[in-house]
Amino acid sequence: LAQAARSHATPIPKRAVCGAIRREASEAAMTSVVDTRAAVRAYRSALKEKGAGDASAQERKVVVDGVSKAVKKECAPYVEDFFGCFQHRFQLSSCTDATVAKMLKCQEQFSAQLLSTK
């Protein structure tokens, strides 16, 4: 019966599924930045209350994970350019020192912005 129901189900177009996945991913990324900023605040609060020892380790882990995911998402175009150059052994005409500099600058500035949350 279950297989009969599946065979009569209308297939979902691939584009609709991919668009929904991208939309969910972008919404998750937006909340990820907000969550990361809240985690930074919670970590700073834990540092004041508990000190820098094991007591604030969980909060620190959440901050590191959140910052890395947000930076990865935000700087993805620059990372893709870098790995494109890397795969071609930097022989492409568009592969310059600026390619690496842009990626590093994006990562540095965005992570600094997240960590400067007050």
Side-chain angles (χ1 to χ4, degrees):
L1 183 64
Q3 187 162 0
R6 275 189 236 139
S7 66
H8 294 300
T10 305
I12 299 172
K14 254 187 176 175
R15 286 186 201 180
V17 172
C18 292
I21 291 171
R22 266 188 256 125
R23 191 171 32 258
E24 288 173 12
S26 67
E27 289 170 3
M30 282 189 256
T31 57
S32 174
V33 170
V34 172
D35 292 343
T36 299
R37 288 184 176 170
V40 168
R41 285 187 210 100
Y43 174 64
R44 289 203 175 117
S45 175
L47 277 177
K48 287 179 184 177
E49 292 173 16
K50 305 173 187 175
D54 292 336
S56 59
Q58 181 62 30
E59 288 88 352
R60 182 174 49 246
K61 182 180 179 196
V62 171
V63 169
V64 170
D65 186 51
V67 169
S68 68
K69 285 180 181 179
V71 169
K72 178 181 177 183
K73 182 76 175 167
E74 182 70 20
C75 299
Y78 300 109
V79 174
E80 287 176 18
D81 289 346
F82 170 78
F83 279 110
C85 290
F86 182 78
Q87 287 175 338
H88 291 94
R89 299 178 191 259
F90 291 89
Q91 297 300 312
L92 300 175
S93 62
S94 62
C95 297
T96 63
D97 289 343
T99 305
V100 178
K102 287 177 186 177
M103 178 187 70
L104 294 175
K105 182 179 180 181
C106 177
Q107 292 171 338
E108 180 182 0
Q109 286 181 337
F110 195 68
S111 61
Q113 179 184 357
L114 288 174
L115 293 172
S116 69
T117 301
K118 295 186 182 192

